[in-house]
Amino acid sequence: MEIQVQGLTKIIKKQPILSNVSLSFSGVYGLLGPNGAGKTTLMKILAGLASFQSGSVFIGEELISTATYVKRTNRIGFLPHDLMIYPELKMYDVLEHIAILQGSELSATYHKQIKEVAEQVHLTDHLYKQIRELSDEMRRRVGIAQLLLRKPSILLFDEPTAGLVGEERVRFHNLLKQLGQRHTVIISSHIVEDIEFLCTKIGIIRDGQVLFEGSPETLKEKAAHCTYELYVPPAELDEVIATKEVVQMHEEHSYMIVRVLSDEPVGRPVCPRLMDGYLTLLKEVPQGLS
């Protein structure tokens, strides 16, 4: 299932939040951009939760939203990054409550649905625990479970791994990847590692405008001729940081290996990563040498 947005513009208090945005979402799609780029606003529009001044939103060939008509559809499930779930209730009770609100009347039917979605998000063993007893990562999985009760074909996740670290982040990555085998998944994030691990297609926005849309490999190529590594003695590190566009660094023996973006040859040229391509666009580093 594909979502297309065409010429989307959103203005709040005379300030453009989104400016003529056109993107085509399919597969596992990463919407990348710095904080304040307009990602959350775009996700809410896709979910039918926000209006806009001009443009159109399509699911496949069906027009679902225009500036004068915003339609919410059961085919789309949206998980905001600040989802609040009743902390004193058990997970089963939360999902039962949501199932009833969504129109499930027969207890046998929604009990089966609850067990199915709990299994999908790998929380079967925690169904009868209170929400406050679960980790942050587990609570987000409960959020996904309540979306899956409606059987949507498209899942929207806004900053899904914010605040998760280590094993929790890895487990949540793996769950999102599994969901991408059965659903169109759109992940909005400012964390490049999330997008690099999960997504087959990427869109980048900054200040409400589209900078890029394409494959991860195409984005990496944006930094193909401007990515270098330097072996820097610790005593010289401050000067390198002050004068170069440093992307990453790590220590090896008595040197710091520093990855930089530069329009002039410095150090050893290396194959670009997704972060290099992303920063090349954001920092407006030249994409090649003449």
Side-chain angles (χ1 to χ4, degrees):
M1 187 70 69
E2 183 177 65
I3 298 184
Q4 293 186 28
V5 299
Q6 299 177 358
L8 209 61
T9 295
K10 170 79 172 181
I11 299 171
I12 299 178
K13 295 181 180 179
K14 299 183 179 181
Q15 294 296 318
I17 307 302
L18 298 171
S19 301
N20 195 33
V21 169
S22 294
L23 293 167
S24 179
F25 302 95
S26 60
V28 182
Y29 190 105
L31 183 63
L32 193 58
N35 289 328
K39 303 186 301 299
T40 296
T41 298
L42 178 54
M43 296 288 271
K44 288 181 177 179
I45 289 173
L46 296 180
L49 299 175
S51 61
F52 48 98
Q53 277 69 33
S54 63
S56 304
V57 181
F58 293 83
I59 295 182
E61 300 295 324
E62 179 188 356
L63 177 65
I64 63 165
S65 294
T66 66
T68 56
Y69 171 67
V70 177
K71 177 183 177 182
R72 295 197 65 184
T73 169
N74 284 337
R75 285 179 289 175
I76 298 178
F78 175 49
L79 186 69
H81 72 276
D82 55 355
L83 176 71
M84 297 294 290
I85 301 177
Y86 315 108
E88 300 302 322
L89 293 184
K90 295 176 181 178
M91 176 185 166
Y92 181 90
D93 295 333
V94 170
L95 295 178
E96 180 184 48
H97 175 66
I98 291 169
I100 293 171
L101 289 177
Q102 292 176 172
S104 297
E105 296 180 358
L106 298 175
S107 61
T109 300
Y110 63 67
H111 178 72
K112 179 181 178 183
Q113 291 176 322
I114 289 169
K115 294 192 74 172
E116 286 175 352
V117 299
E119 185 175 353
Q120 279 185 263
V121 299
H122 310 300
L123 285 176
T124 300
D125 293 340
H126 304 277
L127 257 178
Y128 298 100
K129 289 183 179 179
Q130 290 181 318
I131 296 297
R132 62 181 176 83
E133 296 179 276
L134 305 178
S135 68
D136 288 344
E137 184 257 342
M138 288 180 179
R139 291 175 196 173
R140 294 186 198 190
R141 284 194 261 159
V142 176
I144 295 175
Q146 60 90 17
L147 294 184
L148 295 177
L149 284 171
R150 291 195 288 110
K151 302 187 185 309
S153 55
I154 299 165
L155 298 172
L156 312 180
F157 299 104
D158 188 26
E159 301 285 356
T161 66
L164 301 183
V165 296
E167 291 183 4
E168 283 198 338
R169 180 182 290 272
V170 172
R171 282 196 299 267
F172 204 73
H173 277 169
N174 289 333
L175 175 59
L176 294 179
K177 205 168 186 69
Q178 291 170 15
L179 291 171
Q181 296 172 8
R182 300 184 296 272
H183 305 267
T184 296
V185 174
I186 304 173
I187 300 166
S188 166
S189 182
H190 68 282
I191 302 172
V192 176
E193 290 82 359
D194 289 350
I195 304 304
E196 185 168 25
F197 178 81
L198 295 166
C199 299
T200 57
K201 189 176 181 183
I202 296 170
I204 297 175
I205 61 174
R206 180 180 63 184
D207 299 327
Q209 297 182 328
V210 177
L211 299 184
F212 171 87
E213 186 177 45
S215 69
E217 290 304 317
T218 302
L219 179 55
K220 291 176 187 178
E221 289 172 5
K222 298 292 183 182
H225 302 291
C226 58
T227 308
Y228 300 89
E229 279 187 351
L230 306 174
Y231 284 76
V232 181
E236 300 175 14
L237 184 60
D238 288 346
E239 181 181 355
V240 171
I241 292 173
T243 59
K244 306 295 183 186
E245 189 68 50
V246 175
V247 178
Q248 189 182 47
M249 67 178 74
H250 66 274
E251 187 174 0
E252 186 172 297
H253 304 301
S254 58
Y255 288 88
M256 295 298 295
I257 299 180
V258 182
R259 193 177 188 90
V260 302
L261 299 177
S262 175
D263 59 337
E264 298 178 354
V266 292
R268 178 173 69 95
V270 292
C271 293
R273 300 171 183 168
L274 202 69
M275 176 67 82
D276 304 322
Y278 174 58
L279 291 180
T280 296
L281 287 176
L282 291 190
K283 304 292 186 180
E284 298 180 345
V285 174
Q287 297 178 13
L289 301 175
S290 58

